Coordinates of all heavy atoms in Angstrom, one line a residue:
Chain A
R9 N -6.6 18.8 -1.6 CA -7.1 18.0 -2.7 C -7.7 18.9 -3.9 O -7.5 18.7 -5.0 CB -8.1 17.0 -2.4 CG -7.6 15.8 -1.5 CD -6.7 14.9 -2.4 NE -7.3 14.4 -3.5 CZ -8.2 13.5 -3.7 NH1 -8.6 12.8 -2.7 NH2 -8.7 13.1 -4.9
Y35 N 4.2 16.2 -11.1 CA 3.7 16.1 -12.6 C 2.4 17.0 -12.7 O 1.7 17.3 -11.7 CB 3.2 14.7 -13.0 CG 4.3 13.7 -13.3 CD1 4.9 13.0 -12.3 CD2 4.9 13.6 -14.5 CE1 5.9 12.0 -12.6 CE2 5.9 12.7 -14.8 CZ 6.3 12.0 -13.9 OH 7.3 11.1 -14.1
Q37 N -1.2 17.4 -15.0 CA -2.0 16.7 -15.9 C -3.2 17.4 -16.1 O -3.9 17.6 -15.2 CB -2.3 15.3 -15.4 CG -3.0 14.3 -16.2 CD -3.4 13.1 -15.6 OE1 -3.6 12.9 -14.5 NE2 -3.5 11.9 -16.5
G40 N -7.6 14.3 -20.0 CA -7.3 13.7 -21.4 C -5.9 14.0 -21.9 O -5.8 13.7 -23.2
M41 N -5.1 14.5 -21.1 CA -3.7 14.8 -21.6 C -2.7 14.0 -20.9 O -2.9 13.4 -19.8 CB -3.4 16.4 -21.5 CG -4.4 17.2 -22.3 SD -4.4 17.1 -24.0 CE -2.9 17.8 -24.3
E42 N -1.5 14.0 -21.5 CA -0.4 13.3 -21.0 C 0.1 14.0 -19.7 O 0.0 15.1 -19.5 CB 0.8 13.1 -21.9 CG 1.3 14.3 -22.4 CD 0.7 14.8 -23.7 OE1 -0.5 14.6 -23.9 OE2 1.4 15.3 -24.7
L43 N 0.8 13.3 -18.8 CA 1.4 13.8 -17.6 C 2.7 14.5 -18.2 O 3.5 14.0 -19.0 CB 1.9 12.6 -16.6 CG 0.8 12.3 -15.6 CD1 -0.2 11.3 -16.4 CD2 1.5 11.5 -14.5
L45 N 6.3 16.3 -16.5 CA 7.1 16.4 -15.3 C 7.6 17.9 -15.2 O 8.0 18.5 -16.1 CB 8.4 15.5 -15.5 CG 9.4 15.6 -14.5 CD1 8.8 14.9 -13.2 CD2 10.6 14.9 -14.8
Y48 N 11.6 17.5 -10.0 CA 11.9 16.2 -9.5 C 13.1 16.3 -8.6 O 13.7 17.4 -8.6 CB 12.1 15.0 -10.5 CG 13.4 15.3 -11.5 CD1 14.6 14.7 -11.2 CD2 13.2 16.0 -12.6 CE1 15.6 14.9 -12.1 CE2 14.2 16.1 -13.5 CZ 15.4 15.6 -13.3 OH 16.5 15.8 -14.1
Y50 N 16.1 13.9 -6.5 CA 16.7 12.6 -6.2 C 17.1 12.5 -4.6 O 17.8 11.4 -4.3 CB 17.9 12.4 -7.0 CG 17.5 12.0 -8.5 CD1 18.5 12.2 -9.6 CD2 16.2 11.6 -8.8 CE1 18.0 11.8 -10.8 CE2 15.8 11.3 -10.0 CZ 16.8 11.4 -11.1 OH 16.5 11.1 -12.5
D59 N 10.5 18.7 -17.8 CA 10.5 19.1 -19.3 C 9.4 20.1 -19.5 O 9.4 20.8 -20.6 CB 10.2 18.0 -20.1 CG 8.8 17.2 -19.7 OD1 8.4 17.5 -18.7 OD2 8.5 16.3 -20.5
Q88 N -4.4 19.8 -12.7 CA -4.2 18.9 -11.7 C -2.8 18.6 -11.5 O -2.0 18.4 -12.5 CB -4.9 17.4 -11.9 CG -4.4 16.4 -10.9 CD -5.6 15.4 -10.6 OE1 -6.5 15.6 -9.8 NE2 -5.5 14.3 -11.5
L90 N 0.1 16.2 -9.7 CA 0.3 15.0 -9.0 C 1.7 14.8 -8.6 O 2.7 15.1 -9.1 CB 0.0 13.8 -10.1 CG -1.4 13.6 -10.6 CD1 -1.3 12.7 -11.9 CD2 -2.2 12.9 -9.5
V98 N 13.3 5.5 -11.9 CA 12.1 5.1 -12.6 C 12.4 3.9 -13.3 O 11.5 3.0 -13.5 CB 11.4 6.1 -13.5 CG1 10.8 7.1 -12.7 CG2 12.5 6.7 -14.4
D99 N 13.7 3.6 -13.5 CA 14.0 2.4 -14.4 C 14.2 1.1 -13.5 O 14.3 0.0 -14.0 CB 15.4 2.6 -15.1 CG 16.6 3.0 -14.1 OD1 16.3 3.8 -13.2 OD2 17.5 2.4 -14.3
G101 N 11.9 0.7 -10.8 CA 10.6 0.3 -10.1 C 9.6 1.3 -10.3 O 9.7 2.3 -11.1
E102 N 8.4 1.1 -9.9 CA 7.2 1.9 -10.1 C 7.2 3.1 -9.4 O 7.8 3.3 -8.5 CB 6.1 1.0 -9.8 CG 6.0 0.8 -8.2 CD 4.9 -0.3 -7.9 OE1 3.7 0.2 -7.7 OE2 5.1 -1.5 -7.8
L103 N 6.4 4.0 -9.8 CA 6.2 5.3 -9.3 C 4.9 5.2 -8.5 O 3.9 4.4 -8.9 CB 5.9 6.3 -10.3 CG 7.0 6.9 -11.2 CD1 6.5 7.9 -12.2 CD2 8.1 7.5 -10.3
F105 N 2.0 7.2 -6.8 CA 1.3 8.8 -7.0 C 0.5 9.0 -5.7 O -0.3 8.1 -5.1 CB 0.5 8.7 -8.2 CG 1.3 8.9 -9.5 CD1 1.8 7.6 -10.2 CD2 1.6 10.0 -9.9 CE1 2.4 7.7 -11.3 CE2 2.3 10.1 -11.2 CZ 2.7 8.9 -11.9
G106 N 0.3 10.3 -5.5 CA -0.6 10.7 -4.6 C -1.9 10.9 -5.3 O -2.1 10.8 -6.6
E107 N -3.0 11.4 -4.6 CA -4.2 11.5 -5.0 C -4.4 12.7 -5.9 O -5.4 12.8 -6.7 CB -5.3 11.5 -3.9 CG -5.4 10.3 -3.1 CD -6.1 9.2 -3.8 OE1 -6.9 9.4 -4.8 OE2 -5.8 8.0 -3.6
R110 N -6.1 19.4 -7.2 CA -6.8 20.0 -8.4 C -6.9 21.5 -8.1 O -7.5 21.9 -7.2 CB -8.1 19.5 -8.7 CG -8.7 19.9 -10.0 CD -9.9 19.1 -10.3 NE -9.7 17.8 -10.6 CZ -9.2 17.4 -11.8 NH1 -8.9 18.2 -12.8 NH2 -9.0 16.1 -12.0
Chain B
N30 N 14.7 2.8 -22.5 CA 15.0 2.1 -21.3 C 13.9 1.4 -20.5 O 13.9 1.3 -19.4 CB 15.8 3.0 -20.4 CG 17.1 3.4 -20.7 OD1 18.0 2.4 -21.1 ND2 17.6 4.6 -21.1
F33 N 6.2 1.4 -19.5 CA 5.4 1.2 -18.3 C 3.9 1.3 -18.7 O 3.6 2.1 -19.7 CB 5.6 2.3 -17.3 CG 6.8 2.2 -16.6 CD1 8.0 2.8 -17.2 CD2 7.1 1.6 -15.3 CE1 9.2 2.8 -16.6 CE2 8.3 1.7 -14.7 CZ 9.5 2.1 -15.3
Y35 N 0.3 2.2 -16.8 CA -0.4 2.5 -15.5 C -1.9 2.5 -15.7 O -2.3 2.8 -16.9 CB 0.0 4.0 -15.1 CG 1.5 3.9 -14.4 CD1 2.7 3.9 -15.1 CD2 1.4 3.9 -13.0 CE1 3.9 3.8 -14.3 CE2 2.7 3.9 -12.4 CZ 3.9 4.0 -13.0 OH 5.1 4.0 -12.3
Q37 N -5.5 4.4 -14.4 CA -6.0 5.7 -13.7 C -7.5 5.8 -13.7 O -8.0 6.0 -14.7 CB -5.2 6.9 -14.2 CG -5.6 8.1 -13.4 CD -4.8 9.4 -13.9 OE1 -4.6 9.4 -15.1 NE2 -4.7 10.3 -13.1
G40 N -10.5 10.7 -11.5 CA -10.3 11.5 -10.2 C -9.5 10.8 -9.3 O -9.2 11.3 -8.2
E41 N -8.6 9.8 -9.8 CA -7.7 9.1 -8.8 C -6.3 9.0 -9.4 O -6.1 9.5 -10.4 CB -8.1 7.6 -8.6 CG -9.6 7.5 -7.9 CD -9.9 6.1 -7.7 OE1 -8.9 5.1 -7.7 OE2 -11.0 5.8 -7.3
A42 N -5.4 8.6 -8.5 CA -4.0 8.6 -8.8 C -3.7 7.4 -9.9 O -4.2 6.4 -9.8 CB -3.1 8.6 -7.6
P43 N -2.7 7.6 -10.7 CA -2.3 6.5 -11.5 C -1.7 5.3 -10.7 O -1.0 5.6 -9.7 CB -1.2 7.0 -12.5 CG -1.5 8.4 -12.5 CD -2.0 8.9 -11.1
T44 N -2.0 4.1 -11.0 CA -1.3 3.1 -10.3 C -0.5 2.1 -11.2 O -1.1 2.0 -12.4 CB -2.3 2.2 -9.5 OG1 -3.3 1.7 -10.4 CG2 -2.9 3.0 -8.4
F45 N 0.5 1.6 -11.0 CA 1.5 0.8 -11.7 C 0.7 -0.5 -12.2 O 0.2 -1.3 -11.2 CB 2.7 0.6 -11.0 CG 3.7 -0.4 -11.6 CD1 4.5 0.0 -12.6 CD2 3.7 -1.7 -11.2 CE1 5.4 -0.9 -13.1 CE2 4.7 -2.6 -11.8 CZ 5.5 -2.2 -12.7
Y48 N 5.8 -3.3 -16.4 CA 7.2 -2.7 -16.8 C 7.8 -3.7 -17.8 O 8.0 -4.9 -17.3 CB 8.0 -2.3 -15.8 CG 9.5 -1.9 -16.1 CD1 9.6 -0.9 -16.9 CD2 10.5 -2.6 -15.7 CE1 10.9 -0.4 -17.3 CE2 11.8 -2.3 -16.0 CZ 12.1 -1.1 -16.9 OH 13.3 -0.6 -17.2
L87 N -2.5 4.4 -19.1 CA -1.4 5.3 -19.6 C -0.2 4.5 -20.0 O 0.4 3.6 -19.2 CB -1.0 6.1 -18.5 CG -2.2 6.9 -17.6 CD1 -1.6 7.9 -16.6 CD2 -3.0 7.8 -18.8
L91 N 10.5 5.2 -20.9 CA 11.8 5.8 -20.4 C 12.8 6.0 -21.3 O 13.3 5.1 -22.1 CB 12.3 4.9 -19.3 CG 13.2 5.2 -18.3 CD1 12.4 6.4 -17.3 CD2 13.7 4.2 -17.3
N94 N 17.8 9.6 -21.5 CA 18.1 10.3 -20.3 C 17.3 9.8 -19.0 O 17.3 10.6 -18.0 CB 17.7 11.8 -20.5 CG 18.6 12.4 -21.5 OD1 19.7 12.1 -21.7 ND2 17.9 13.3 -22.4
Y95 N 16.6 8.7 -19.1 CA 15.9 8.3 -18.0 C 14.7 9.1 -17.5 O 14.5 9.1 -16.3 CB 16.9 7.7 -16.7 CG 17.6 6.7 -17.2 CD1 18.9 6.7 -17.6 CD2 17.2 5.3 -16.9 CE1 19.7 5.6 -18.1 CE2 18.0 4.2 -17.2 CZ 19.2 4.3 -17.8 OH 20.0 3.3 -18.2
Q96 N 14.2 9.8 -18.5 CA 13.0 10.6 -18.2 C 11.7 9.9 -18.8 O 11.9 9.3 -19.8 CB 13.1 12.0 -18.9 CG 14.2 12.9 -18.4 CD 14.2 13.2 -16.8 OE1 13.0 13.3 -16.4 NE2 15.2 13.4 -16.3
L97 N 10.7 9.9 -18.0 CA 9.5 9.2 -18.6 C 8.7 10.0 -19.5 O 8.4 11.4 -19.1 CB 8.7 8.9 -17.4 CG 8.8 7.5 -16.6 CD1 7.9 7.6 -15.4 CD2 8.6 6.4 -17.6
I98 N 8.5 9.6 -20.6 CA 7.6 10.3 -21.7 C 6.1 9.5 -21.6 O 6.2 8.4 -21.8 CB 8.2 10.2 -23.0 CG1 9.7 10.5 -23.0 CG2 7.4 11.1 -24.0 CD1 9.9 12.0 -22.6
W99 N 5.2 10.3 -21.4 CA 3.9 9.8 -21.0 C 3.0 10.0 -22.4 O 3.0 10.9 -23.0 CB 3.1 10.4 -20.0 CG 3.8 10.2 -18.6 CD1 4.9 10.8 -18.2 CD2 3.4 9.2 -17.7 NE1 5.1 10.3 -17.0 CE2 4.4 9.2 -16.6 CE3 2.4 8.3 -17.6 CZ2 4.2 8.5 -15.5 CZ3 2.4 7.4 -16.6 CH2 3.1 7.5 -15.5
G100 N 2.1 8.8 -22.6 CA 1.1 9.1 -23.6 C -0.2 9.8 -22.9 O -0.2 9.9 -21.7
A101 N -1.1 10.2 -23.8 CA -2.2 10.9 -23.1 C -3.2 9.9 -22.5 O -4.3 10.3 -21.9 CB -3.1 11.6 -24.2
G102 N -3.0 8.6 -22.7 CA -3.9 7.6 -22.2 C -5.0 7.3 -22.9 O -5.6 8.0 -23.9

Side-chain angles (χ1 to χ4, degrees):
Chain A
R9 290 290 312 279
Y35 284 93
Q37 185 184 32
M41 302 294 288
E42 58 267 37
L43 278 74
L45 181 66
Y48 60 100
Y50 284 164
D59 59 354
Q88 167 149 275
L90 289 167
V98 288
D99 58 318
E102 65 188 274
L103 290 176
F105 284 88
E107 294 289 332
R110 188 169 294 280
Chain B
N30 281 300
F33 293 81
Y35 280 78
Q37 186 177 26
E41 296 183 13
T44 55
F45 171 82
Y48 171 61
L87 312 180
L91 202 59
N94 294 319
Y95 290 93
Q96 298 296 332
L97 272 174
I98 311 299
W99 294 82

